[in-house]
Amino acid sequence: MPRKRTKYRKWRYLSLSAAFLLILLTPILNLYFHFTFVQGWYQSLGIGRLWIVSPLEGLESLLISKYVYLPSLIGISIPIIVAFYLGRVFCSWICPISFLHETIDLIRKKFFNFNPLTWKDKIVLALKIIWFALIGEFVLSMILGFPIFVFISPPGLVGRELMLGIIFHSLALEGLIVLLILFLHLFTRRFYCRYFCPLGGLLSFIGHKRKLKVRLRSKKCTQCGICEKVCPMGLPVNRGGSYSPYCWNCGECVDYCPTGALSFYWKRNYYLKPLNEKSKTGNSKVQNDNPLQGE
Amino acid sequence: MDRRLFLKFLATGILVGCAPGEFTSSPIKTNVLRPPGAIPEDFFASRCIRCGRCAESCPYRSIKILDIKHGFYAGTPVIYAEKIPCYLCMRCVKVCPTGTLQKVSQKEVRMGLARVNRRLCVTWNGTGICRSCYNACPFKEQAIKLDRLRPIVVPEACVGCGLCTYSCPVKPKAIVIEPIYAFKASK
């Protein structure tokens, strides 16, 4: 009998909902209750005196204006540290666009008989495109001299739309971009996140040597291929896809794996400092990163 | 799509992008101002990360966010002095995360300079007596002085908050804010 494992899916949806509620409630609290402790959204979030600035926006502003502003740098460093250790977790656990995607998936599951196991993505491109999107975005912004993330960074777009809707009772035209992204999701799961999101590209670049990874135990794996089907990024998890920089640690494959071959693990350093002479010679604990060799 | 069509699209795109117009030129003009402490317009759009926290923190809803119709300037904050002027509460400068709005005190704010149109102003053209702008000014006797009841702006003390424009009963407004400091090239 297989032991009952934690369902990351439930926790992830909870976290996404909480994150979405945060940016939905913040303008309301600010406007009607004058509660200004929390302000902003995922472009720049202010919690008391702590400022968190989105690394994409902050870096682009720094590169274009060639001006270093210390509060902004400190604000950038927090998400960068998180991405360095945990990888692209912002995208799968916090991003409001991810929340909307998941909600669409839930509706589709309920009413339109959507099943991720039988679902086939309609448009499949090379995952490498995300690097070109990231580089292109930076280069184009530097040529134009204006940041263009305003139009193509969806977390900021959603937050700005919510703020404008609540405070000024009007929506900006940029909302159409959000609708377009959600529309593309109907053809390929997370189409924009997979191939074009510059923020996602930056976070996966920062986190390509992340500590938290999904480990594949080759001995338990039966090559059923379910993980590859359910992966929202379309990664071949059974062939070591979870070790690639594109993995965003959502835990979907861990939930669906029937044999329990997949699990999260915190990668420690390869060569642990030996405690005494004995451990130096042979029995040192070295974690295996290679999926093909197993444990 | 064949190559020629693609190149045509590309060329049109570049031409549209580079053409001077509302898309690429600054939205700042008479009575359309940047929030207090803003850096010059040359750097404003490149340093601002469009987080909108100035608009969110503004208790008077003076600060508006531009939309995509303004092209490269979309998402940047402006104040329409005729609709809601700036009341100089200085909350926006405290929350700006990028230093686009620099931390200045009330008296150091230079959003623009008030200009009296002597032909429209009822006191100046002799059709009546009005001192709405003088009454509204947060720096009375410093920024606006009265010369035989006629308002005179002192450029050294005027912060350009737009309260005078807002209170002016004449239409079109006899006192307007010119954002002269926004286009001063200095860093």
Side-chain angles (χ1 to χ4, degrees), chain A residues 233-295:
Chain A
M233 304 297 281
L235 291 170
V237 185
N238 50 3
R239 279 170 276 134
S242 62
Y243 297 94
S244 73
Y246 309 110
C247 174
W248 62 6
N249 283 342
C250 63
E252 194 84 343
C253 48
V254 182
D255 283 354
Y256 273 97
C257 187
T259 57
L262 294 162
S263 59
F264 276 115
Y265 86 116
W266 186 266
K267 195 179 93 181
R268 277 176 250 117
N269 287 331
Y270 276 104
Y271 302 106
L272 295 169
K273 211 173 163 187
L275 291 167
N276 46 37
E277 288 296 307
K278 259 186 188 173
S279 56
K280 212 180 203 176
T281 48
N283 217 358
S284 63
K285 274 186 185 171
V286 177
Q287 279 184 330
N288 196 352
D289 202 12
N290 189 351
L292 299 174
Q293 284 178 6
E295 274 185 294

Side-chain angles (χ1 to χ4, degrees), chain A residues 24-291:
Chain A
L24 184 72
L25 289 178
T26 301
I28 296 175
L29 286 175
N30 272 308
L31 182 61
Y32 296 109
F33 300 99
H34 305 286
F35 174 78
T36 51
F37 185 69
V38 184
Q39 270 188 338
W41 53 86
Y42 299 114
Q43 252 171 329
S44 153
L45 188 72
I47 303 168
R49 293 212 143 266
L50 177 76
W51 289 350
I52 298 167
V53 179
S54 163
L56 177 81
E57 277 83 342
L59 275 181
E60 209 162 290
S61 157
L62 195 137
L63 281 174
I64 295 170
S65 64
K66 299 174 211 71
Y67 172 83
V68 181
Y69 187 67
L70 202 62
S72 160
L73 270 188
I74 293 166
I76 292 172
S77 68
I78 296 162
I80 283 186
I81 290 167
V82 170
F84 188 78
Y85 283 104
L86 304 179
R88 206 181 152 180
V89 283
F90 169 81
C91 299
S92 54
W93 291 74
I94 298 168
C95 180
I97 275 283
S98 234
F99 171 77
L100 295 174
H101 279 158
E102 296 264 322
T103 312
I104 286 179
D105 274 357
L106 276 185
I107 293 168
R108 283 206 291 179
K109 253 180 208 167
K110 257 224 165 94
F111 299 107
F112 298 100
N113 238 343
F114 168 76
N115 185 3
L117 290 171
T118 52
W119 174 257
K120 276 243 159 58
D121 293 333
K122 304 286 184 296
I123 315 161
V124 178
L125 307 171
L127 284 164
K128 271 179 210 154
I129 289 177
I130 200 161
W131 307 126
F132 293 105
L134 174 65
I135 296 164
E137 207 254 1
F138 271 98
V139 170
L140 195 61
S141 298
M142 285 170 85
I143 290 171
L144 291 170
F146 290 93
I148 54 168
F149 60 75
V150 192
F151 311 121
I152 57 173
S153 182
L157 278 177
V158 177
R160 192 168 332 120
E161 285 294 313
L162 284 174
M163 192 276 281
L164 286 174
I166 289 163
I167 294 184
F168 297 108
H169 307 295
S170 66
L171 292 175
L173 271 175
E174 293 102 293
L176 290 177
I177 300 169
V178 176
L179 290 182
L180 181 75
I181 292 166
L182 295 180
F183 181 69
L184 282 169
H185 173 65
L186 299 178
F187 295 100
T188 301
R189 302 205 303 153
R190 313 293 172 84
F191 182 80
Y192 194 82
C193 309
R194 266 192 214 181
Y195 305 122
F196 293 110
C197 184
L199 181 63
L202 185 68
L203 290 179
S204 46
F205 175 72
I206 295 165
H208 77 287
K209 282 205 163 130
R210 61 190 180 277
K211 297 281 184 193
L212 185 73
K213 281 181 181 174
V214 174
R215 173 164 55 172
L216 174 79
R217 289 189 182 85
S218 305
K219 277 178 189 165
K220 284 188 187 173
C221 180
T222 52
Q223 297 290 340
C224 61
I226 287 175
C227 46
E228 194 177 349
K229 278 176 198 151
V230 297
C231 180
M233 304 297 281
L235 291 170
V237 185
N238 50 3
R239 279 170 276 134
S242 62
Y243 297 94
S244 73
Y246 309 110
C247 174
W248 62 6
N249 283 342
C250 63
E252 194 84 343
C253 48
V254 182
D255 283 354
Y256 273 97
C257 187
T259 57
L262 294 162
S263 59
F264 276 115
Y265 86 116
W266 186 266
K267 195 179 93 181
R268 277 176 250 117
N269 287 331
Y270 276 104
Y271 302 106
L272 295 169
K273 211 173 163 187
L275 291 167
N276 46 37
E277 288 296 307
K278 259 186 188 173
S279 56
K280 212 180 203 176
T281 48
N283 217 358
S284 63
K285 274 186 185 171
V286 177
Q287 279 184 330
N288 196 352
D289 202 12
N290 189 351

Side-chain angles (χ1 to χ4, degrees), chain B residues 63-111:
Chain B
I63 301 178
K64 301 280 189 297
I65 300 287
L66 295 176
D67 64 1
I68 205 167
K69 278 175 269 176
H70 294 273
F72 294 131
Y73 291 89
T76 53
V78 291
I79 291 175
Y80 295 103
E82 279 179 54
K83 285 176 190 156
I84 308 172
C86 174
Y87 290 87
L88 298 171
C89 69
M90 312 309 282
R91 281 200 197 170
C92 47
V93 298
K94 281 178 201 145
V95 297
C96 182
T98 54
T100 316
L101 305 179
Q102 287 170 336
K103 290 186 176 61
V104 289
S105 66
Q106 275 189 340
K107 288 196 173 183
E108 291 164 355
V109 174
R110 289 291 177 271
M111 293 158 67

